[in-house]
Amino acid sequence: MREVRLGTLTLGRGPVKVAVPLVGSDRTALRAELDALPDSAADLVEWRIDCLMPFPDTEMLLALARELKQSLGSLPLLITFRSLPEGGRLPLDAAAYREFQLRLAKEQLPDLLDVELFSGLPDPAAHIAALQREHIPVIASRHFFDGTPAPQVMRETFQRMQDCNADILKLAVMTETAEDLLSLLQFSAAQRQTADRPFVLIGMGPRGVLSRISCAEFGSCLSFGALRESSAPGQLPARDLKRILSLLPEYPVSQTAEPRK
């Protein structure tokens, strides 16, 4: 299993890490979230920049990112723009998306960048490679809000992410029934046996809560917990999530490989 190192934090080895999303709409709201962050037991912070209203131009975005990076200190920062079709708050303009992600990467502001692989980028593999040339690892993501897709669709989604050479693979699906949850967990268990890099599989909604706390058993390297406001359906409060994860046994990954820096 490859490892992804974000400063002193390693994904793909050791306990499941807890990511806490910041969803403030402006600098004042972000500052309030930062003040509450020490009580969250976060291992990683996700900044949901699609929550900024109005969305800033690139220079203002970079300025906000510098402030946030300084405030977080050694706590790793994942920067995410979640598009409307995948549960975000703004439409995605592919050209602007590529531009601000590359600028963020060139200035070394994120420790990790989320790239939506299925939201209209003309050449996702080339974009991911450009970010990686700046030594920024990439988490490729896809979200299904209309249900849990068939296992074959989930396999094809992960394969596409691997073909684009993403460092971490992330798939979130809406789990509406017990059968949906079982299908997701079975896929996760199978992925755990063959994965060559870290992955994240999430069941959204009330039925999916079990997927968020059983990461160690089923292989996900990361789980997302809410600070004050959840960024996706079914998120538990971050401190509660961290406590539950600490009570569960840690299972070793099935394979080892050279770490990816």
Side-chain angles (χ1 to χ4, degrees):
M1 172 76 72
R2 292 181 185 177
E3 297 172 0
V4 176
R5 295 175 182 166
L6 310 175
T8 60
L9 186 74
T10 301
L11 299 178
R13 176 170 57 85
V16 177
K17 310 306 189 294
V18 171
V20 174
L22 302 182
V23 296
S25 60
D26 54 28
R27 181 184 280 105
T28 300
L30 283 170
R31 177 54 57 186
E33 289 182 312
L34 286 170
D35 290 343
L37 195 60
D39 292 330
S40 71
D43 298 302
L44 173 73
V45 169
E46 180 186 38
W47 183 26
R48 281 282 304 273
I49 61 175
D50 57 291
C51 296
L52 294 171
M53 297 293 173
F55 192 74
D57 61 27
T58 300
E59 295 307 319
M60 179 59 72
L61 179 63
L62 292 172
L64 283 171
R66 292 185 198 104
E67 290 182 31
L68 183 57
K69 184 77 170 174
Q70 183 174 15
S71 296
L72 292 176
S74 62
L75 201 58
L77 175 63
L78 161 63
I79 299 183
T80 299
F81 181 101
R82 187 66 65 229
S83 67
L84 276 174
E86 299 215 13
R89 304 189 185 184
L90 293 171
L92 184 148
D93 178 290
Y97 185 71
R98 292 197 308 272
E99 178 192 356
F100 69 65
Q101 286 203 328
L102 283 169
R103 288 288 304 279
L104 287 165
K106 287 180 182 295
E107 296 212 18
Q108 300 294 297
L109 293 169
D111 296 285
L112 181 64
L113 270 168
D114 180 291
V115 172
E116 289 189 354
L117 215 61
F118 299 84
S119 292
L121 285 173
D123 191 344
H127 180 57
I128 288 172
L131 298 174
Q132 291 168 334
R133 284 195 293 273
E134 302 298 333
H135 308 289
I136 302 298
V138 169
I139 178 168
S141 65
R142 188 173 191 186
H143 296 69
F144 288 88
F145 278 87
D146 55 354
T148 299
Q152 179 63 24
V153 174
M154 292 191 278
R155 283 193 294 271
E156 291 171 355
T157 300
F158 262 28
Q159 186 60 56
R160 174 82 183 281
M161 293 174 175
Q162 287 183 230
D163 291 344
C164 289
N165 199 34
D167 300 282
I168 302 170
L169 319 180
K170 179 189 175 189
L171 176 63
V173 305
M174 187 62 71
T175 43
E176 298 172 331
T177 66
E179 289 74 21
D180 286 344
L181 176 61
L182 181 59
S183 177
L184 176 67
L185 294 179
Q186 286 177 328
F187 175 72
S188 188
Q191 181 70 20
R192 183 173 178 271
Q193 295 302 313
T194 60
D196 68 345
R197 68 198 71 195
F199 66 89
V200 182
L201 279 161
I202 297 170
M204 296 183 289
R207 289 280 191 182
V209 170
L210 182 60
S211 72
R212 296 179 181 274
I213 64 174
S214 60
C215 302
E217 173 70 41
F218 291 98
S220 288
C221 68
L222 194 62
S223 193
F224 290 75
L227 183 58
R228 291 179 170 177
E229 178 184 347
S230 65
S231 62
Q235 280 182 0
L236 296 169
R239 180 163 285 280
D240 292 345
L241 175 62
K242 185 79 170 182
R243 182 176 59 82
I244 293 169
L245 290 171
S246 72
L247 296 174
L248 300 175
E250 179 186 336
Y251 297 86
V253 294
S254 58
Q255 301 181 20
T256 57
E258 290 298 315
R260 185 181 183 95
K261 298 182 181 179

